[in-house]
Amino acid sequence: MILPGKTIGVLGGGQLGRMLAQAATRLGYRVHVYEPQANSPAGAVSHEEVNAPYEDLAALTAFARKCDVVTYEFENVPAAPLQAVEALTQLHPHWRVLETAQNRSREKRWLRDHGFPHAPFAEVPAGGDLAAAIAAVKIPCVVKTADFGYDGKGQLKVMAAADAEAAVAKFRGQPAVVEQFVSFACEVSAVVARSAKGDVRVFPISENLHTNHILDFSIVPARVPPDVLAQADKLARSVAEKIGLVGVMGVEFFVTKSGEVLINELAPRTHNSGHYTIDACVTSQFEQQVRAICGLPLGDTSLLSPVVMVNILGDAWSAGEPHWETLLAAPSAHLHLYGKGEARAGRKMGHFTVTAPTVESALATARELKAKL
Ligand code: AMP
């Protein structure tokens, strides 16, 4: 057990690292952040921040030696340097978990090989025949780069033959995955935690509304039938067990019109759709991450109130500073800003949550407050 007072190292200095550091320091831990870019959101609330590339083995080794446990908040940390960290201190989740989840080909293959429901897909290796893969999966489909994809970046919908030519031109021989297009009824996600002892806890399932491929609203409880909730919960649990998770993982699902639950994506870290847990659950996903990686008992994941989370993107600054006072005057709203300097369009700058006696009223208030921002 790594007790309060010890040092937690975080690879990646974004908002997930920031909220992890806030939860960890509240519990009395020291937090060190390793992040290539200076002045990171997580570094600003941590004891130490190291700015060096992930490939800088000397810097990474010096960092790892000062930490009692290391975790990551960023999915594109290369797996090779993680192995160096693991040789020096505890690393959770295991680097193999990240290696599987950070590449769509490996991730889909893992899901298929372990019998998890997913959309049919074809893998296209570097220089492979994308047109043939599209023909095999059949239009409509979605082409996604195998590496470095998030928030819909590096993906293209192929709804007609002409789009297939555009995809071949766009992807230019990059390794990719072609997935059958799922005309889903809705998208939901789960945040699951697993301890080294094998205890597993799943937070309440979130219903997610995206705009331009970026999460816009998370709604909890999700407005789906109980058996869909049960399937998502069971799948998340089973993924955590089969992949050997120690830590926290986000699992994204498509719910088809016939009520089938397919796994879309795995993220071996806290998840944007789990931010609601800070204000609406007994334990937040960030505290749960601390508990899981430090070998503490996992916390209660019970929901205290219906809740809606809204992402605040850089777009909210298009006409100047957003009207925080309106949001702060609303008694049921909770504002979280990540301390990022530059408000670029599409950049996640913060989020807010609204708690209310019913999910419908929380959503109505959230929409109203978002419009007034
Ligand atoms: P991803 O980066 O894979 O999570 O995709 C981002 C978003 O694109 C998802 O949340 C969906 O809204 C949409 N999307 C991704 N893959 C598919 C698919 N196979 N069928 C339909 N929509 C998809």
Side-chain angles (χ1 to χ4, degrees):
M1 225 194 280
I2 296 160
L3 291 172
K6 298 286 188 187
T7 301
I8 297 175
V10 187
L11 302 176
Q15 63 269 17
L16 302 179
R18 180 182 176 93
M19 291 182 271
L20 169 62
Q22 288 166 332
T25 50
R26 187 170 53 76
L27 286 173
Y29 288 92
R30 292 181 57 81
V31 178
H32 291 193
V33 168
Y34 190 104
E35 155 65 45
Q37 292 187 336
N39 303 317
S40 70
V45 299
S46 298
H47 295 83
E48 281 189 29
E49 177 175 15
V50 175
N51 298 126
Y54 294 117
E55 294 78 6
D56 183 341
L57 271 188
L60 197 60
T61 303
F63 173 83
R65 284 192 203 286
K66 289 168 112 181
C67 299
D68 297 288
V69 59
V70 172
T71 190
Y72 39 85
E73 64 97 61
F74 177 63
E75 235 178 310
N76 292 323
V77 177
L82 287 182
Q83 295 178 47
V85 170
E86 196 168 53
L88 296 168
T89 187
Q90 291 194 47
L91 174 76
H92 298 304
H94 196 278
W95 62 269
R96 280 187 204 283
V97 176
L98 183 66
E99 194 191 37
T100 301
Q102 73 186 176
N103 173 282
R104 288 190 199 273
S105 264
R106 280 197 290 272
E107 180 182 58
K108 297 279 171 200
R109 215 182 300 146
W110 187 88
L111 291 173
R112 183 186 61 204
D113 293 349
H114 291 82
F116 287 104
H118 58 275
F121 69 97
E123 293 178 61
V124 185
D129 191 344
L130 178 57
I134 291 172
V137 173
K138 293 197 179 75
I139 294 173
C141 59
V142 183
V143 183
K144 303 179 177 183
T145 52
D147 296 300
F148 305 119
Y150 69 99
D151 287 347
K153 291 198 172 70
Q155 63 170 267
L156 195 72
K157 269 188 207 148
V158 176
M159 306 309 273
D163 301 335
E165 286 162 32
V168 171
K170 177 180 160 133
F171 285 83
R172 284 181 306 185
Q174 285 181 72
V177 167
V178 181
E179 258 175 53
Q180 200 173 83
F181 181 80
V182 180
S183 87
F184 51 76
C186 70
E187 292 185 87
V188 300
S189 59
V191 173
V192 55
R194 183 172 174 274
S195 70
K197 281 193 213 144
D199 292 335
V200 180
R201 299 262 168 105
V202 184
F203 283 97
I205 306 301
S206 164
E207 173 187 348
N208 303 319
L209 309 183
H210 295 83
T211 303
N212 301 325
H213 296 286
I214 302 177
L215 183 64
D216 201 357
F217 293 87
S218 281
I219 302 164
V220 187
R223 299 164 300 172
V224 295
D227 77 292
V228 168
L229 295 178
Q231 280 186 68
D233 182 286
K234 194 170 159 206
L235 288 169
R237 228 168 248 282
S238 176
V239 165
E241 280 162 0
K242 289 199 176 144
I243 212 164
L245 177 74
V246 175
V248 161
M249 175 179 259
V251 184
E252 299 175 16
F253 305 95
F254 297 132
V255 182
T256 68
K257 285 167 186 151
S258 57
E260 224 187 329
V261 180
L262 306 176
I263 298 181
N264 171 32
E265 225 184 353
L266 310 176
R269 48 161 173 80
T270 51
H271 197 264
N272 192 168
S273 67
H275 292 353
Y276 80 86
T277 59
I278 300 176
D279 301 314
C281 287
V282 175
T283 309
S284 77
Q285 63 168 346
F286 301 99
E287 180 176 331
Q288 197 75 307
Q289 185 178 28
V290 172
R291 287 170 175 254
I293 65 172
C294 291
L296 307 178
L298 293 182
D300 181 354
T301 55
S302 302
L303 189 68
L304 299 169
S305 164
V307 60
V308 170
M309 188 242 26
V310 184
N311 268 336
I312 303 172
L313 303 182
D315 312 60
W317 275 255
S318 60
E321 190 71 16
H323 299 120
W324 304 126
E325 64 284 2
T326 314
L327 193 60
L328 292 166
S332 59
H334 313 262
L335 177 62
H336 302 253
L337 291 171
Y338 308 146
K340 294 186 182 179
E342 196 196 337
R344 292 191 299 272
R347 191 177 194 202
K348 291 174 181 171
M349 303 296 290
H351 71 269
F352 70 89
T353 59
V354 175
T355 48
T358 67
V359 84
E360 288 74 20
S361 62
L363 184 56
T365 307
R367 285 193 191 283
E368 212 176 288
L369 289 172
K370 184 185 175 185
K372 286 184 184 159
L373 262 190

